[in-house]
Every structure is written in C-alpha cells, then in structure tokens.
Amino acid sequence: MATTFDVGVTTLTDVDAISRIAYDIRDMAASLEQGDFLNARRIYEDGENSPQYDIYGNEEDKLLSLQRMAGVESGGMFSEDPTYMFQVLGLSDIGQSIDSTIAQHGTYADTYITELLNDETSGTLGAQASTILVVSMYATHQLWAGLLDCFAVKNGFNPDADQTGRINPKQKFDNFIALYIGAGQTLAPDWKGDMLYELGQAGGDNFGTTDSEGEAIVNSDIKQLYQSIQRTLAEENYCRRDDTIFLLWTYINQIIPKMYVPLVQMLIHSMKQEDQAHKVRMYALAVIPQLSQCRPSYHTKLKNYLLDKEYDKQDFGRILDLLQQSFDCLGFTCADVGAYKVDMVAECAGYDEDTPLASFIPKEDVRSVSQPLCFFYVGLLHGYSSSLTLSIFTGFCSCLR
C-alpha cells in the first residue's frame, strides 16, 4: 500500500504513520505559541499523532515520539551511521576521548531541545529544533539503514520471506522521503508544512533558489534522487547486483549534501536578521560539526564562533568567509546556496582548479585533506559500529577526493 504526497511523490510502501510525526511538530508549535510548555513537552516525549505497529500489523501502545527519534532509548541505533558519528565527533573538544564524546554528545539533539522546552522564554524554538535536529538526522538514518538492508539482501537475505520486516530497504528509503516531506505539506502558493521540505522552501525563497514553479531547487532535486532510488529498487533482483549497491551509495551521497543547503541558508538568514538571532545556535548545531570530517581548522574556528559561545553579529564577516570556504566540504556549491535577499549577501565565487573560493586561493585542495582525516575517524569507530558499517564507512572515505 503506497502513500501519496501532494508535492508529487508516491512511495512504494505505506509510510502514512511515520509521516504524521509532522503533526507532532505542528501541535508542539501550537502549544508553545499558547505558552503551554507542559503539553509541548508531553508531545515531544510521548508522541501524539504517529502510531507504531508490530510485525502483525497491530497498533502498539506507544506512539512514535520525537524524543525516541532523537536516539533516546535507542540502544546505539545511530552508531551505524557515518553522518551521525561525524556529527558527534564534531562536537567533541580537542583531546576528548571517543568514549567521553559519545557519553557527552550522543544525545545532543535531545539535550538541546529539552533545555528549550524547559525555558519558557524560548518561544516555538523547541518545535523548530525538532525538525532541524531530530527529523533531519532520523531521515538520514533511514538512508543509511536502507543501504545496510540492501547489503543484507545482496548477502542472501530474502526480505519477501521475512515476517518481521526488520530488513526492508524499500521501507527504509520510503521512510526517508516521508520524513523529508511530512504529512500535510501543501503546494503553491502557500507551500505550508512542518518538515524539511518546508525548510527547503524557506531557504529557496530567501536565497532565490527556486524554479519557475516556485519549488525550491533542493526539494526538486531530492525528489528526483528519491525517485531514482525507487526505480533501482523496482528492478528485478534489486540489491543483489553490485551496480545496485553502487547506485544507492551514489544517490545517498548526493541527497545528504542537498539536505545541508537549506540549513546553511537559514543559518546565514538568522545571523543577518536580529529577530532571528536566537536561531543561530540551532542551525549551527545541525551543520557545523559535519565540517570536522574534511575542514578541521575551519570547523574549529566556526565551532568557536557559533557553538562554544553566543553568536556576536560583529563576527558575521569572519563567519561567512569561513562558511563559504567550507561549502565544498559539505558537498555543494556557491550556486546551490545563492545570494541572500538578492544583494544583502552576495553569492560566493564558484570552486574549480583555477577559481578561488570566496576570494581565497587555498594552498591545497580541501578534498585531498578530507580522505586521511576520514580514515582517522574509521580507526576511532572500531568497537562502536559493526564490521559491515565500518566497511561501508571505509568505502565512504575512499570516495573522497
């Protein structure tokens, strides 16, 4: 049974239940607007709109909740994800051990959101942070889980004969798009929603990165990449061929960088608008730690400016310069981000072998720096992730240039 979203996506499997987590964010925001922080915390912790089902299709007593999606009570669910591990490692202090890092930062999103929901001066930020920090990472988790499931199929597992549904690559990739778009997402002219698709629209509007129909280019691109995954999984003997694994690997590593584009756009927006400055840390927390994988020096400086202390608008020029020089590390270009409000922040220069980035000519290609650091992280992850995940992570490092 498929699920259809108004923005032009129909899934291969039923993802209505998980897509309804968007209504939890909507209802959290409504409660926070009314000053009812107690109800907002209840929705965040216990869930309200997204049912879960057992292997027999019976509805469970517990609803899916944003706090559970954040990794609380997960039993190391995210330890299989390169994206999550880079995120946690990117929050560590210099010299901090991996054990200490995971203990301190493993539930970084829940820690941040819980603080907001206990601060009655924070407005609706707790609901917004649930999308930015929880839904984005959980959606990325579904991509990596889909790839791992596909490896299991390639190694002989038969998902059609599995009654538990534990290994189901089609379901995992469908879960991703359900979380990205979310239930209730509308079309033009409102583009109203509560999930990552709506965030993409906000970034596209602010930076002029929308198509002729008004859809954010990043949203259009991610839909197309998801549909490419669908076509791959609809083929006979899907996941049993080496080219399938390679294609899925490629699609995932194209989707994830595109998910960072609206986060960077809205980070710049929040730094430029005084009434949005309270959101700077939230957006920075979602994206800056990822720079640790290939821009360690810039990561350290941006972490100092945006995470280790409160944002100071006097630092905007330095932060913007560092951020723009890090776009290639995150996997996108200056053109992907665009110009803020036409001329408030100009589009930075493109990057190629001859063109300086943001008026800076690097002494060495950042992409050559990323690979050894990536393999360094692989060494750190031994004992925390499965051998299969480590082999995939090693492949991830090998793809870096």
PDB file of all heavy atoms in Angstrom, residues 202-222:
ATOM      1  N   ALA A 202      11.669  27.630   2.530  1.00  0.00           N
ATOM      2  CA  ALA A 202      12.059  28.880   3.202  1.00  0.00           C
ATOM      3  C   ALA A 202      13.440  29.325   2.740  1.00  0.00           C
ATOM      4  O   ALA A 202      13.661  30.509   2.446  1.00  0.00           O
ATOM      5  CB  ALA A 202      12.034  28.686   4.718  1.00  0.00           C
ATOM      6  N   GLY A 203      14.379  28.396   2.659  1.00  0.00           N
ATOM      7  CA  GLY A 203      15.721  28.737   2.193  1.00  0.00           C
ATOM      8  C   GLY A 203      15.710  29.191   0.748  1.00  0.00           C
ATOM      9  O   GLY A 203      16.371  30.177   0.389  1.00  0.00           O
ATOM     10  N   GLY A 204      14.953  28.497  -0.097  1.00  0.00           N
ATOM     11  CA  GLY A 204      14.879  28.858  -1.510  1.00  0.00           C
ATOM     12  C   GLY A 204      14.296  30.239  -1.725  1.00  0.00           C
ATOM     13  O   GLY A 204      14.765  31.008  -2.588  1.00  0.00           O
ATOM     14  N   ASP A 205      13.279  30.590  -0.940  1.00  0.00           N
ATOM     15  CA  ASP A 205      12.659  31.918  -1.056  1.00  0.00           C
ATOM     16  C   ASP A 205      13.631  33.017  -0.649  1.00  0.00           C
ATOM     17  O   ASP A 205      13.691  34.082  -1.280  1.00  0.00           O
ATOM     18  CB  ASP A 205      11.394  31.991  -0.195  1.00  0.00           C
ATOM     19  CG  ASP A 205      10.254  31.155  -0.768  1.00  0.00           C
ATOM     20  OD1 ASP A 205      10.302  30.823  -1.968  1.00  0.00           O
ATOM     21  OD2 ASP A 205       9.314  30.838  -0.006  1.00  0.00           O
ATOM     22  N   ASN A 206      14.379  32.775   0.413  1.00  0.00           N
ATOM     23  CA  ASN A 206      15.309  33.795   0.908  1.00  0.00           C
ATOM     24  C   ASN A 206      16.531  33.974   0.016  1.00  0.00           C
ATOM     25  O   ASN A 206      17.117  35.058  -0.033  1.00  0.00           O
ATOM     26  CB  ASN A 206      15.774  33.439   2.323  1.00  0.00           C
ATOM     27  CG  ASN A 206      14.772  33.819   3.393  1.00  0.00           C
ATOM     28  OD1 ASN A 206      14.250  34.923   3.399  1.00  0.00           O
ATOM     29  ND2 ASN A 206      14.489  32.897   4.293  1.00  0.00           N
ATOM     30  N   PHE A 207      16.918  32.908  -0.702  1.00  0.00           N
ATOM     31  CA  PHE A 207      18.151  32.953  -1.468  1.00  0.00           C
ATOM     32  C   PHE A 207      17.934  32.853  -2.975  1.00  0.00           C
ATOM     33  O   PHE A 207      18.896  32.730  -3.728  1.00  0.00           O
ATOM     34  CB  PHE A 207      19.089  31.829  -1.009  1.00  0.00           C
ATOM     35  CG  PHE A 207      19.774  32.135   0.298  1.00  0.00           C
ATOM     36  CD1 PHE A 207      19.100  32.000   1.505  1.00  0.00           C
ATOM     37  CD2 PHE A 207      21.091  32.572   0.329  1.00  0.00           C
ATOM     38  CE1 PHE A 207      19.715  32.285   2.709  1.00  0.00           C
ATOM     39  CE2 PHE A 207      21.713  32.864   1.523  1.00  0.00           C
ATOM     40  CZ  PHE A 207      21.029  32.723   2.726  1.00  0.00           C
ATOM     41  N   GLY A 208      16.695  32.920  -3.410  1.00  0.00           N
ATOM     42  CA  GLY A 208      16.418  32.912  -4.840  1.00  0.00           C
ATOM     43  C   GLY A 208      16.760  31.608  -5.526  1.00  0.00           C
ATOM     44  O   GLY A 208      17.097  31.606  -6.719  1.00  0.00           O
ATOM     45  N   THR A 209      16.671  30.503  -4.791  1.00  0.00           N
ATOM     46  CA  THR A 209      16.999  29.202  -5.373  1.00  0.00           C
ATOM     47  C   THR A 209      15.728  28.365  -5.526  1.00  0.00           C
ATOM     48  O   THR A 209      15.612  27.270  -4.976  1.00  0.00           O
ATOM     49  CB  THR A 209      18.038  28.455  -4.516  1.00  0.00           C
ATOM     50  OG1 THR A 209      17.592  28.437  -3.136  1.00  0.00           O
ATOM     51  CG2 THR A 209      19.392  29.128  -4.589  1.00  0.00           C
ATOM     52  N   THR A 210      14.781  28.919  -6.282  1.00  0.00           N
ATOM     53  CA  THR A 210      13.543  28.218  -6.605  1.00  0.00           C
ATOM     54  C   THR A 210      13.413  28.124  -8.119  1.00  0.00           C
ATOM     55  O   THR A 210      14.003  28.919  -8.858  1.00  0.00           O
ATOM     56  CB  THR A 210      12.318  28.934  -6.021  1.00  0.00           C
ATOM     57  OG1 THR A 210      12.285  30.289  -6.514  1.00  0.00           O
ATOM     58  CG2 THR A 210      12.364  28.957  -4.503  1.00  0.00           C
ATOM     59  N   ASP A 211      12.609  27.164  -8.575  1.00  0.00           N
ATOM     60  CA  ASP A 211      12.417  27.019 -10.016  1.00  0.00           C
ATOM     61  C   ASP A 211      11.237  27.870 -10.495  1.00  0.00           C
ATOM     62  O   ASP A 211      10.668  28.644  -9.718  1.00  0.00           O
ATOM     63  CB  ASP A 211      12.229  25.551 -10.399  1.00  0.00           C
ATOM     64  CG  ASP A 211      10.996  24.906  -9.754  1.00  0.00           C
ATOM     65  OD1 ASP A 211      10.062  25.635  -9.360  1.00  0.00           O
ATOM     66  OD2 ASP A 211      10.967  23.655  -9.641  1.00  0.00           O
ATOM     67  N   SER A 212      10.888  27.742 -11.754  1.00  0.00           N
ATOM     68  CA  SER A 212       9.838  28.583 -12.341  1.00  0.00           C
ATOM     69  C   SER A 212       8.470  28.334 -11.724  1.00  0.00           C
ATOM     70  O   SER A 212       7.581  29.178 -11.805  1.00  0.00           O
ATOM     71  CB  SER A 212       9.771  28.341 -13.860  1.00  0.00           C
ATOM     72  OG  SER A 212       9.493  26.978 -14.133  1.00  0.00           O
ATOM     73  N   GLU A 213       8.304  27.170 -11.077  1.00  0.00           N
ATOM     74  CA  GLU A 213       7.027  26.848 -10.424  1.00  0.00           C
ATOM     75  C   GLU A 213       7.008  27.279  -8.962  1.00  0.00           C
ATOM     76  O   GLU A 213       5.996  27.127  -8.280  1.00  0.00           O
ATOM     77  CB  GLU A 213       6.768  25.336 -10.514  1.00  0.00           C
ATOM     78  CG  GLU A 213       6.730  24.787 -11.925  1.00  0.00           C
ATOM     79  CD  GLU A 213       5.601  25.373 -12.745  1.00  0.00           C
ATOM     80  OE1 GLU A 213       4.507  25.581 -12.173  1.00  0.00           O
ATOM     81  OE2 GLU A 213       5.812  25.653 -13.942  1.00  0.00           O
ATOM     82  N   GLY A 214       8.124  27.806  -8.489  1.00  0.00           N
ATOM     83  CA  GLY A 214       8.200  28.240  -7.102  1.00  0.00           C
ATOM     84  C   GLY A 214       8.709  27.186  -6.141  1.00  0.00           C
ATOM     85  O   GLY A 214       8.817  27.430  -4.934  1.00  0.00           O
ATOM     86  N   GLU A 215       9.031  25.994  -6.641  1.00  0.00           N
ATOM     87  CA  GLU A 215       9.543  24.945  -5.766  1.00  0.00           C
ATOM     88  C   GLU A 215      11.044  25.140  -5.567  1.00  0.00           C
ATOM     89  O   GLU A 215      11.776  25.433  -6.511  1.00  0.00           O
ATOM     90  CB  GLU A 215       9.282  23.562  -6.363  1.00  0.00           C
ATOM     91  CG  GLU A 215       9.715  22.420  -5.452  1.00  0.00           C
ATOM     92  CD  GLU A 215       9.328  21.061  -5.987  1.00  0.00           C
ATOM     93  OE1 GLU A 215       9.510  20.828  -7.208  1.00  0.00           O
ATOM     94  OE2 GLU A 215       8.850  20.227  -5.207  1.00  0.00           O
ATOM     95  N   ALA A 216      11.489  24.977  -4.326  1.00  0.00           N
ATOM     96  CA  ALA A 216      12.925  25.073  -4.052  1.00  0.00           C
ATOM     97  C   ALA A 216      13.671  24.037  -4.881  1.00  0.00           C
ATOM     98  O   ALA A 216      13.263  22.878  -4.956  1.00  0.00           O
ATOM     99  CB  ALA A 216      13.202  24.874  -2.569  1.00  0.00           C
ATOM    100  N   ILE A 217      14.777  24.453  -5.484  1.00  0.00           N
ATOM    101  CA  ILE A 217      15.545  23.546  -6.331  1.00  0.00           C
ATOM    102  C   ILE A 217      16.025  22.348  -5.535  1.00  0.00           C
ATOM    103  O   ILE A 217      16.031  21.214  -6.028  1.00  0.00           O
ATOM    104  CB  ILE A 217      16.728  24.301  -6.971  1.00  0.00           C
ATOM    105  CG1 ILE A 217      16.190  25.349  -7.959  1.00  0.00           C
ATOM    106  CG2 ILE A 217      17.681  23.347  -7.665  1.00  0.00           C
ATOM    107  CD1 ILE A 217      17.240  26.299  -8.493  1.00  0.00           C
ATOM    108  N   VAL A 218      16.405  22.567  -4.277  1.00  0.00           N
ATOM    109  CA  VAL A 218      16.876  21.453  -3.459  1.00  0.00           C
ATOM    110  C   VAL A 218      15.762  20.435  -3.252  1.00  0.00           C
ATOM    111  O   VAL A 218      15.999  19.216  -3.243  1.00  0.00           O
ATOM    112  CB  VAL A 218      17.448  21.961  -2.117  1.00  0.00           C
ATOM    113  CG1 VAL A 218      16.358  22.501  -1.201  1.00  0.00           C
ATOM    114  CG2 VAL A 218      18.230  20.869  -1.409  1.00  0.00           C
ATOM    115  N   ASN A 219      14.519  20.888  -3.105  1.00  0.00           N
ATOM    116  CA  ASN A 219      13.398  19.963  -2.940  1.00  0.00           C
ATOM    117  C   ASN A 219      13.148  19.162  -4.213  1.00  0.00           C
ATOM    118  O   ASN A 219      12.910  17.951  -4.175  1.00  0.00           O
ATOM    119  CB  ASN A 219      12.136  20.722  -2.546  1.00  0.00           C
ATOM    120  CG  ASN A 219      12.155  21.168  -1.105  1.00  0.00           C
ATOM    121  OD1 ASN A 219      12.886  20.619  -0.283  1.00  0.00           O
ATOM    122  ND2 ASN A 219      11.354  22.173  -0.779  1.00  0.00           N
ATOM    123  N   SER A 220      13.208  19.840  -5.337  1.00  0.00           N
ATOM    124  CA  SER A 220      13.030  19.169  -6.620  1.00  0.00           C
ATOM    125  C   SER A 220      14.125  18.129  -6.836  1.00  0.00           C
ATOM    126  O   SER A 220      13.854  16.998  -7.276  1.00  0.00           O
ATOM    127  CB  SER A 220      13.042  20.200  -7.751  1.00  0.00           C
ATOM    128  OG  SER A 220      12.953  19.571  -9.007  1.00  0.00           O
ATOM    129  N   ASP A 221      15.359  18.493  -6.500  1.00  0.00           N
ATOM    130  CA  ASP A 221      16.486  17.578  -6.685  1.00  0.00           C
ATOM    131  C   ASP A 221      16.356  16.342  -5.789  1.00  0.00           C
ATOM    132  O   ASP A 221      16.612  15.212  -6.226  1.00  0.00           O
ATOM    133  CB  ASP A 221      17.805  18.287  -6.380  1.00  0.00           C
ATOM    134  CG  ASP A 221      18.201  19.290  -7.452  1.00  0.00           C
ATOM    135  OD1 ASP A 221      17.581  19.272  -8.534  1.00  0.00           O
ATOM    136  OD2 ASP A 221      19.119  20.092  -7.206  1.00  0.00           O
ATOM    137  N   ILE A 222      15.967  16.553  -4.533  1.00  0.00           N
ATOM    138  CA  ILE A 222      15.852  15.419  -3.613  1.00  0.00           C
ATOM    139  C   ILE A 222      14.710  14.496  -4.030  1.00  0.00           C
ATOM    140  O   ILE A 222      14.837  13.266  -3.952  1.00  0.00           O
ATOM    141  CB  ILE A 222      15.680  15.918  -2.159  1.00  0.00           C
ATOM    142  CG1 ILE A 222      17.037  16.458  -1.652  1.00  0.00           C
ATOM    143  CG2 ILE A 222      15.160  14.813  -1.237  1.00  0.00           C
ATOM    144  CD1 ILE A 222      17.002  17.068  -0.276  1.00  0.00           C
TER     145      ILE A 222
END
